[in-house]
Amino acid sequence: MLAMAEKIYFKIGEVASRFDVNPSLIRYWEQEFDFIRPKKSQKGTRLYTRKDMERFEIIYHLVKEKGLTIKGAQDFLKAKRENSGIDKLEVINTLKKTQNLLKEVRKLIDT
């Protein structure tokens, strides 16, 4: 199976599994946050990009980790978007991923 970094598109089940939530929650977030617009196959299967995955990470962080309501997360993102803050959130997510990768490398080196 391809690693997440190698894949171009992700099905809804893969997205749900990545965040340990039900696919119905992914569909709900898709409806509530207008910046997530997956492509659909001819059969209607949702196909999410890496960019969509990064955006789901932001939503997950705001709603599940910080405890914001959907409305609170929408307001926060709207304010950030107006101030170009969404780019900063994506940079923070990238830095978090890099930090985790470096920690894993350190563990491999130390063993």
Side-chain angles (χ1 to χ4, degrees), residues 65-101:
E65 294 174 348
K66 289 196 117 184
L68 294 178
T69 63
I70 294 295
K71 177 72 171 129
Q74 288 169 334
D75 292 344
F76 177 84
L77 291 170
K78 182 180 178 186
K80 290 297 181 183
R81 214 177 297 146
E82 289 171 358
N83 296 324
S84 300
I86 194 82
D87 293 333
K88 291 177 186 174
L89 283 173
E90 290 173 351
V91 168
I92 289 169
N93 271 339
T94 301
L95 290 172
K96 285 169 84 176
K97 288 180 199 173
T98 303
Q99 181 183 31
N100 289 334
L101 178 64

Coordinates of all heavy atoms in Angstrom, one line a residue, residues 65-101:
E65 N -9.3 19.1 19.0 CA -8.2 19.3 19.9 C -8.4 20.6 20.7 O -8.2 20.6 21.9 CB -6.9 19.3 19.2 CG -6.5 17.9 18.6 CD -5.3 18.0 17.7 OE1 -4.8 19.1 17.4 OE2 -4.8 16.9 17.4
K66 N -8.9 21.6 20.1 CA -9.1 22.9 20.8 C -10.5 23.0 21.4 O -10.8 23.9 22.2 CB -8.8 24.1 19.9 CG -7.3 24.2 19.6 CD -7.0 25.6 19.0 CE -6.1 26.3 20.0 NZ -5.8 27.6 19.7
G67 N -11.4 22.2 20.9 CA -12.8 22.2 21.4 C -13.7 23.3 20.9 O -14.7 23.5 21.5
L68 N -13.4 23.9 19.8 CA -14.3 24.9 19.2 C -15.5 24.2 18.6 O -15.4 23.1 18.1 CB -13.5 25.7 18.1 CG -12.4 26.5 18.5 CD1 -11.8 27.2 17.3 CD2 -12.8 27.6 19.5
T69 N -16.6 24.9 18.6 CA -17.8 24.5 17.9 C -17.5 24.7 16.4 O -16.6 25.3 16.0 CB -19.0 25.3 18.3 OG1 -18.8 26.7 17.9 CG2 -19.3 25.2 19.8
I70 N -18.4 24.1 15.6 CA -18.3 24.3 14.1 C -18.4 25.8 13.8 O -17.5 26.3 13.0 CB -19.4 23.5 13.4 CG1 -19.2 22.0 13.5 CG2 -19.4 23.9 11.9 CD1 -17.9 21.4 12.9
K71 N -19.3 26.5 14.4 CA -19.5 27.9 14.2 C -18.2 28.6 14.6 O -17.7 29.5 13.9 CB -20.7 28.4 14.9 CG -20.9 29.9 14.8 CD -21.4 30.3 13.4 CE -21.8 31.8 13.4 NZ -21.2 32.5 12.3
G72 N -17.7 28.3 15.8 CA -16.5 28.9 16.3 C -15.3 28.7 15.3 O -14.5 29.6 15.1
A73 N -15.2 27.5 14.8 CA -14.1 27.1 13.9 C -14.3 27.9 12.6 O -13.3 28.5 12.0 CB -14.0 25.6 13.6
Q74 N -15.5 28.0 12.1 CA -15.8 28.8 10.9 C -15.4 30.3 11.1 O -14.8 30.9 10.2 CB -17.3 28.7 10.5 CG -17.7 27.3 10.0 CD -19.2 27.2 9.9 OE1 -20.0 27.9 10.6 NE2 -19.6 26.3 9.0
D75 N -15.8 30.8 12.2 CA -15.5 32.2 12.5 C -14.0 32.4 12.6 O -13.4 33.4 12.1 CB -16.2 32.7 13.8 CG -17.7 32.8 13.6 OD1 -18.2 32.8 12.5 OD2 -18.4 32.8 14.7
F76 N -13.3 31.5 13.3 CA -11.9 31.6 13.4 C -11.2 31.6 12.0 O -10.3 32.4 11.7 CB -11.4 30.4 14.3 CG -9.9 30.4 14.4 CD1 -9.2 31.2 15.4 CD2 -9.1 29.6 13.6 CE1 -7.9 31.2 15.5 CE2 -7.7 29.6 13.8 CZ -7.1 30.3 14.7
L77 N -11.6 30.6 11.2 CA -11.0 30.5 9.9 C -11.3 31.7 9.0 O -10.5 32.1 8.2 CB -11.4 29.2 9.2 CG -10.8 27.9 9.9 CD1 -11.5 26.7 9.3 CD2 -9.3 27.9 9.7
K78 N -12.5 32.2 9.1 CA -12.9 33.4 8.3 C -12.0 34.6 8.7 O -11.5 35.3 7.8 CB -14.4 33.7 8.6 CG -14.9 34.9 7.7 CD -16.3 35.2 8.0 CE -16.7 36.4 7.2 NZ -18.1 36.8 7.5
A79 N -11.8 34.8 10.0 CA -11.0 35.9 10.4 C -9.5 35.6 10.0 O -8.9 36.6 9.5 CB -11.0 36.0 12.0
K80 N -9.1 34.4 10.1 CA -7.7 34.1 9.6 C -7.5 34.3 8.1 O -6.5 34.8 7.6 CB -7.3 32.7 10.0 CG -7.1 32.5 11.5 CD -6.0 33.4 12.0 CE -5.7 33.3 13.5 NZ -4.7 34.2 14.0
R81 N -8.6 33.9 7.4 CA -8.5 34.0 5.9 C -8.4 35.4 5.5 O -7.7 35.8 4.6 CB -9.7 33.3 5.3 CG -9.4 32.7 4.0 CD -10.6 31.9 3.4 NE -11.0 30.8 4.2 CZ -12.3 30.4 4.4 NH1 -13.3 31.1 3.7 NH2 -12.6 29.4 5.1
E82 N -9.2 36.3 6.2 CA -9.2 37.7 5.9 C -7.8 38.3 6.2 O -7.4 39.3 5.6 CB -10.3 38.4 6.7 CG -11.6 38.1 6.2 CD -12.7 38.6 7.1 OE1 -12.4 39.2 8.2 OE2 -13.9 38.4 6.8
N83 N -7.1 37.7 7.1 CA -5.7 38.2 7.5 C -4.6 37.3 6.9 O -3.5 37.3 7.4 CB -5.6 38.3 9.0 CG -6.5 39.3 9.6 OD1 -6.8 40.3 9.0 ND2 -7.1 38.9 10.8
S84 N -5.0 36.5 6.0 CA -4.1 35.5 5.4 C -3.5 34.5 6.4 O -2.4 34.0 6.2 CB -2.9 36.2 4.6 OG -3.4 37.0 3.6
G85 N -4.2 34.3 7.5 CA -3.8 33.4 8.5 C -3.9 32.0 8.2 O -3.2 31.2 8.8
I86 N -4.7 31.6 7.2 CA -4.9 30.2 6.9 C -3.5 29.7 6.4 O -3.2 28.5 6.7 CB -6.0 30.0 5.8 CG1 -6.4 28.5 5.7 CG2 -5.7 30.5 4.5 CD1 -7.3 28.1 6.8
D87 N -2.8 30.5 5.7 CA -1.5 30.1 5.2 C -0.6 29.8 6.4 O 0.2 28.8 6.4 CB -0.8 31.1 4.3 CG -1.5 31.3 3.0 OD1 -2.2 30.3 2.6 OD2 -1.5 32.4 2.4
K88 N -0.7 30.6 7.5 CA 0.1 30.4 8.7 C -0.2 29.1 9.4 O 0.6 28.4 9.8 CB 0.0 31.6 9.6 CG 0.6 32.8 9.1 CD 0.3 34.0 10.1 CE 0.8 35.3 9.5 NZ 0.5 36.4 10.3
L89 N -1.5 28.8 9.4 CA -2.0 27.5 10.0 C -1.4 26.3 9.2 O -1.0 25.3 9.8 CB -3.5 27.4 10.0 CG -4.2 28.2 11.1 CD1 -5.7 28.2 10.9 CD2 -3.8 27.7 12.5
E90 N -1.4 26.4 7.9 CA -0.8 25.4 7.1 C 0.7 25.2 7.3 O 1.2 24.1 7.3 CB -1.2 25.6 5.6 CG -2.6 25.4 5.3 CD -3.1 25.8 3.9 OE1 -2.3 26.4 3.2 OE2 -4.2 25.5 3.6
V91 N 1.3 26.3 7.5 CA 2.8 26.3 7.8 C 3.0 25.6 9.1 O 3.9 24.8 9.3 CB 3.4 27.7 7.8 CG1 4.8 27.7 8.4 CG2 3.4 28.2 6.4
I92 N 2.2 25.9 10.1 CA 2.3 25.3 11.4 C 2.0 23.8 11.3 O 2.8 23.0 11.9 CB 1.3 25.9 12.4 CG1 1.7 27.4 12.8 CG2 1.1 25.1 13.7 CD1 0.7 28.2 13.5
N93 N 1.1 23.4 10.5 CA 0.8 22.0 10.3 C 2.0 21.3 9.7 O 2.4 20.2 10.1 CB -0.4 21.7 9.5 CG -1.7 21.6 10.3 OD1 -1.6 21.3 11.5 ND2 -2.8 21.9 9.6
T94 N 2.6 21.9 8.7 CA 3.8 21.4 8.1 C 5.0 21.3 9.0 O 5.7 20.3 9.1 CB 4.2 22.3 6.9 OG1 3.1 22.3 5.9 CG2 5.5 21.7 6.2
L95 N 5.1 22.3 9.9 CA 6.2 22.2 10.9 C 6.0 21.1 11.9 O 6.9 20.5 12.3 CB 6.3 23.6 11.6 CG 6.9 24.7 10.7 CD1 6.8 26.1 11.5 CD2 8.3 24.4 10.3
K96 N 4.7 20.9 12.3 CA 4.4 19.8 13.2 C 4.7 18.5 12.6 O 5.3 17.6 13.3 CB 2.9 19.9 13.6 CG 2.6 21.0 14.6 CD 1.1 21.2 14.7 CE 0.5 20.3 15.7 NZ -1.0 20.6 15.9
K97 N 4.4 18.3 11.3 CA 4.7 17.1 10.6 C 6.2 16.9 10.6 O 6.7 15.8 10.8 CB 4.2 17.1 9.2 CG 2.7 16.9 9.1 CD 2.3 17.0 7.7 CE 0.8 17.3 7.5 NZ 0.5 17.5 6.1
T98 N 7.0 17.9 10.3 CA 8.4 17.8 10.2 C 9.0 17.5 11.6 O 9.9 16.7 11.7 CB 9.0 19.2 9.7 OG1 8.4 19.5 8.4 CG2 10.5 19.1 9.6
Q99 N 8.5 18.1 12.6 CA 8.9 17.8 14.0 C 8.7 16.4 14.3 O 9.6 15.7 14.8 CB 8.2 18.7 15.0 CG 8.6 18.5 16.4 CD 7.8 19.3 17.4 OE1 6.7 19.6 17.1 NE2 8.5 19.8 18.4
N100 N 7.5 15.8 14.0 CA 7.2 14.4 14.3 C 8.2 13.5 13.5 O 8.6 12.5 14.0 CB 5.8 14.1 14.0 CG 4.8 14.7 15.0 OD1 5.2 15.0 16.1 ND2 3.6 15.0 14.6
L101 N 8.4 13.9 12.2 CA 9.3 13.1 11.4 C 10.7 13.0 12.0 O 11.4 12.0 12.1 CB 9.4 13.6 10.0 CG 10.3 12.9 9.0 CD1 9.9 11.4 8.8 CD2 10.4 13.6 7.7

